[in-house]
């Protein structure tokens, strides 16, 4: 089978002789209005991750199962799912750590489900675009003046927030996003901070119009789960909290010195 | 001109109150509500307590601790009602009750401490 | 062919799981969050008791004595006992989260989160000792 060879080197790791049950969320809109759970008995291989188990189902047990995955190494951010209720990258969640099972696999929470484990993420993409996640300059300097220089210390200011892989685990873990779909949300605010804190960027004011609002940072109640589930240690909760601190200082500055604001 | 939001103001009161309460409320509660009533600590002399509380610094401290603790509650409880019970549609009513209650408490604290 | 009468090909029928009202009882991490938020009731509740004590203080030795007697009732003791647990929980969670809001720099390097939280806890211990000392010597 061609598909098998893709994941070949992984499925060749020795089987332990054990099996585990995966309870997989199924939603096939042409067949059912409400999702159902389907149980699959999967052999346990040494060093298998949940994604390997799903690939085993797809290749050997049920080709109709739909889910997203790509890199298998925690970089692409496409295989995020709820594993036993926790938002996880399935390529980084070992089956052996979840034995004896059963292991419940569901699509990421707080998003509409298109089919089975595939969620609809347009809302996130639009919010991401709304904060202009690129370097904004008041005026670009001419090419012959050379590049914009940055010291390692200036890089350290935002580097952590630039590690985001848009896997959406933080949105799935955020009850505020589930309750208030208008909330800008953890990753988008962290990515906005990534550019706000970049010494080459001058676009903080434009982003502020989106973020310093009731639907932006002020919706957050610091549940803190976004930072707990983040596979890249981005710590969106800290990004939001520090944004709140600087916005509050700015608010008092504008109050006490109204002439200084634009 | 961007849309102004009042949230930074409430959040700053919430934050200041949360910090003061975190530092001072547990020990104050322990001393006055448990240790002295249970006899673990001797009750200080009435005149001494009164003189101490009348000191301008003490009055300021007590006012800030009590008032900001109220506003800390108001802000947190408001969002707990929104999220915990999904009452966002009662937004204005809840805000008036929470911040209004804290303001009444603040006036009461000011009145009490000025007339101490 | 289609078992779902609402379904027409090429038109997405997304499934949206509703958020139950008591969403926070389903998971310990969420219940813990709501508990943390509810500590504010005990913070404000004790602030109110403290304010009433100050009011009694201003009304003279007799009123103050009556208030102190009230504090000795079993009901008062048990309420204060429960409240102490919650206000301690407030303090612990508050100082643990402090590094999220505070980003300090010393000599160009970020002060580690653990140090910031540690300083907060040290301040808590110091302030508590100071208030205890004032009470004992006052």
């Amino acid at each position: 089978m061609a598909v098998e060879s893709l994941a070949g080197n992984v499925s060749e790791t020795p089987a332990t002789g054990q099996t585990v049950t995966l309870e997989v969320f199924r939603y096939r809109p042409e067949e059912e209005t409400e999702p159902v759970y389907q149980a699959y008995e999967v052999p346990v291989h040494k060093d298998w991750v949940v994604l390997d188990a799903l690939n085993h189902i797809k290749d050997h047990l049920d080709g109709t199962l739909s889910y997203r995955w790509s890199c298998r190494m925690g970089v692409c951010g496409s295989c995020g799912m709820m594993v036993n209720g926790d938002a996880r990258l399935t390529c980084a969640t070992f089956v052996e750590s979840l034995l004896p099972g059963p292991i419940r696999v569901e699509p990421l929470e707080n998003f509409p489900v298109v089919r089975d484990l595939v969620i609809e993420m347009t809302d996130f993409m639009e919010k991401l675009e709304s904060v202009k996640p690129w370097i904004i300059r008041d005026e670009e300097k001419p090419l012959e003046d050379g590049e914009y220089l940055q010291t390692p210390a200036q890089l350290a200011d935002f580097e952590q927030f630039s590690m985001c892989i848009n896997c959406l685990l933080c949105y799935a873990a955020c009850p505020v996003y589930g309750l208030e779909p208008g909330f800008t949300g953890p990753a988008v605010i962290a990515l906005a901070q990534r550019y706000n804190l970049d010494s080459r960027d001058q676009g903080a004011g434009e982003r502020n119009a989106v973020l310093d609002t009731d639907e932006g940072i002020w919706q957050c109640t610091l549940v803190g789960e976004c930072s707990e589930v983040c596979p890249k240690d981005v710590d969106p909760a800290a990004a939001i909290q520090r944004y709140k601190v600087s916005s509050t200082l700015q608010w008092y500055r504008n109050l006490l010195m109204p002439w200084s604001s634009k | 001109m961007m849309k102004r939001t009042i949230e930074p103001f409430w959040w700053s009161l919430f934050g200041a109150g949360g910090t003061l309460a975190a530092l001072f409320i547990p020990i104050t509660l322990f001393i006055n509500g448990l240790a002295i009533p249970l006899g673990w600590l001797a009750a200080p002399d009435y005149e001494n307590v009164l003189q101490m509380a009348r000191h301008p610094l003490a009055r300021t401290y007590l006012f800030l601790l009590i008032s900001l603790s109220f506003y800390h509650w108001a802000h947190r409880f408001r969002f707990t009602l929104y999220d915990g019970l999904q009452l966002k549609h009662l937004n204005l009513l809840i805000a008036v009750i929470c911040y209004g209650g804290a303001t009444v408490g603040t006036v009461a604290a000011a009145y009490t401490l000025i007339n101490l | 062919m289609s078992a779902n009468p609402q379904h027409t090909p090429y038109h997405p029928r997304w499934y949206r799981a509703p958020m139950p009202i008591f969403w926070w009882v389903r998971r310990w991490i969420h219940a813990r969050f709501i508990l943390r938020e509810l500590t504010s009731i005990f913070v404000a509740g004790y602030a109110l008791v403290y304010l009433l004590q100050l009011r009694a203080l201003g009304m003279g030795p007799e009123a103050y004595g009556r208030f102190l007697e009230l504090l000795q009732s079993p009901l008062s003791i048990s309420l204060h006992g429960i409240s102490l647990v919650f206000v301690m929980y407030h303090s612990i969670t508050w100082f643990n989260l402090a590094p999220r809001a505070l980003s300090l720099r010393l000599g160009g390097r970020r002060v580690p989160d653990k140090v910031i939280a540690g300083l907060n806890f040290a301040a808590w211990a110091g302030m508590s000792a100071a208030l205890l000392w004032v009470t004992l010597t006052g």
Side-chain angles (χ1 to χ4, degrees):
Chain A
M1 231 196 224
V3 181
E4 196 174 19
S5 65
L6 253 182
N9 50 353
V10 178
S11 54
E12 278 159 24
T13 58
T16 59
Q18 274 177 289
T19 62
V20 64
T21 303
L22 261 68
E23 295 173 356
V24 183
F25 181 103
R26 299 300 309 268
Y27 172 64
R28 290 148 294 194
E30 70 281 7
E31 284 175 29
E32 55 224 352
T33 49
E34 288 291 313
V36 294
Y37 288 90
Q38 195 164 341
Y40 298 100
E41 195 80 1
V42 176
V44 177
H45 287 244
K46 198 169 155 35
D47 297 335
W48 260 21
V49 290
V50 173
L51 180 61
D52 293 319
L54 290 173
N55 283 340
H56 177 88
I57 295 171
K58 179 95 175 166
D59 295 346
H60 301 287
L61 304 176
D62 185 351
T64 68
L65 182 65
S66 300
Y67 53 98
R68 291 196 182 103
W69 66 286
S70 178
C71 77
R72 284 198 296 111
M73 50 197 285
V75 176
C76 75
S78 50
C79 71
M81 296 170 207
M82 307 303 290
V83 179
N84 286 345
D86 296 325
R88 305 292 298 263
L89 290 183
T90 50
C91 70
T93 306
F94 286 93
V95 171
E96 282 176 306
S97 70
L98 303 167
L99 292 180
I103 303 169
R104 182 162 274 221
V105 186
E106 296 161 300
L108 287 179
E109 262 171 27
N110 303 331
F111 291 95
V113 180
V114 178
R115 169 181 292 273
D116 295 343
L117 301 164
V118 178
I119 52 114
E120 158 52 46
M121 60 170 88
T122 307
D123 179 55
F124 169 76
M125 301 310 279
E126 284 172 353
K127 281 171 180 160
L128 183 57
E129 213 180 327
S130 75
V131 300
K132 307 183 181 179
W134 53 81
I135 287 177
I136 298 171
R137 299 286 302 179
D138 294 338
E139 216 171 311
E140 291 285 350
K141 64 178 184 181
L143 212 54
E144 56 270 26
D145 288 1
E147 59 276 70
Y148 298 104
L149 297 177
Q150 192 164 58
T151 67
Q154 288 170 325
L155 173 68
D157 280 336
F158 69 85
E159 194 175 16
Q160 174 191 16
F161 300 133
S162 73
M163 306 309 275
C164 176
I165 55 173
N166 301 359
C167 67
L168 306 185
L169 297 196
C170 55
Y171 282 75
C174 176
V176 177
Y177 180 63
L179 292 160
E180 302 287 340
F183 177 39
T184 311
V188 167
I189 299 176
L191 282 164
Q193 277 294 67
R194 177 252 171 273
Y195 288 94
N196 285 340
L197 298 174
D198 190 320
S199 57
R200 301 164 295 182
D201 180 83
Q202 297 169 328
E206 288 177 51
R207 291 184 202 103
N208 206 41
V210 178
L211 294 171
D212 191 10
T213 61
D214 293 350
E215 300 238 289
I217 53 172
W218 299 110
Q219 191 89 259
C220 166
T221 51
L222 189 47
V223 180
E225 275 306 301
C226 52
S227 298
E228 298 297 323
V229 300
C230 179
K232 294 288 168 187
D233 295 323
V234 170
D235 203 351
I240 299 173
Q241 286 312 103
R242 282 171 206 159
Y243 207 130
K244 283 183 189 171
V245 172
S246 59
S247 287
T248 302
L249 294 175
Q250 188 60 44
W251 190 88
Y252 277 100
R253 220 171 284 139
N254 291 347
L255 185 78
L256 300 172
M257 302 181 290
W259 57 88
S260 72
S261 70
K262 281 185 246 177
Chain B
M1 182 75 195
M2 70 184 200
K3 203 181 97 195
R4 289 296 294 257
T5 166
I6 186 82
E7 290 299 335
F9 173 67
W10 298 129
W11 189 76
S12 64
L13 295 186
F14 157 79
T19 305
L20 281 180
L23 286 171
F24 298 111
I25 293 263
I27 189 68
T28 308
L29 186 153
F30 174 75
I31 292 171
N32 291 306
L34 290 171
I36 292 177
L38 288 170
W40 301 341
L41 289 177
D45 180 61
Y46 173 82
E47 279 303 320
N48 274 354
V49 178
L50 188 63
Q51 286 316 312
M52 211 151 53
R54 276 180 172 163
H55 191 281
L57 278 179
R59 284 190 217 234
T60 311
Y61 157 76
L62 291 169
F63 174 74
L64 289 176
L65 178 65
I66 292 171
S67 164
L68 290 172
S69 289
F70 288 150
Y71 281 110
H72 169 79
W73 162 80
H75 190 71
R76 230 177 198 183
F77 197 62
R78 180 186 141 215
F79 276 101
T80 310
L81 290 180
Y82 285 172
D83 298 338
L85 298 176
Q86 302 187 21
L87 296 174
K88 191 83 185 185
H89 53 287
L90 300 176
N91 191 340
L92 192 65
L93 180 70
I94 292 172
V96 167
I97 291 173
C98 289
Y99 298 127
T103 305
V104 170
T106 297
V107 172
Y111 179 83
T112 304
L113 288 163
I114 288 168
N115 293 303
L116 197 68
Chain C
M1 202 178 92
S2 170
N4 179 357
Q6 290 182 337
H7 182 264
T8 44
Y10 313 118
H11 285 77
R13 299 273 168 200
W14 298 340
Y15 171 74
R16 286 169 197 270
M19 194 109 163
I21 292 225
F22 297 104
W23 54 271
W24 38 271
V25 297
R26 290 185 303 170
R27 271 191 226 149
W28 169 234
I29 46 169
H30 291 155
R32 213 173 49 186
F33 159 71
I34 291 289
L35 272 181
R36 187 193 83 192
E37 301 300 280
L38 290 181
T39 60
S40 63
I41 294 176
F42 294 89
V43 165
Y46 184 71
L48 186 63
V49 170
Y50 198 34
L51 179 57
L52 291 175
Q53 184 167 356
L54 290 166
R55 179 170 161 269
L57 182 70
M59 283 161 59
E62 263 181 43
Y64 191 60
R66 272 201 306 277
F67 192 87
L68 292 189
E69 237 168 74
L70 213 63
L71 285 178
Q72 286 174 334
S73 69
L75 179 68
S76 165
I77 297 287
S78 29
L79 284 178
H80 278 90
I82 296 166
S83 302
L84 183 64
V85 174
F86 277 92
V87 296
M88 297 270 293
Y89 190 59
H90 164 72
S91 300
I92 293 165
T93 52
W94 191 265
F95 296 136
N96 278 335
L97 287 173
R100 289 260 154 82
L102 278 172
S103 174
L104 291 180
R105 283 182 179 286
L106 265 183
R109 277 204 295 190
R110 252 191 77 188
V111 179
D113 287 357
K114 283 213 172 95
V115 174
I116 294 182
L119 287 172
N120 275 280
F121 279 103
W124 184 27
M127 291 299 174
S128 300
L131 276 193
L132 200 60
W133 183 76
V134 168
T135 315
L136 289 174
T137 57

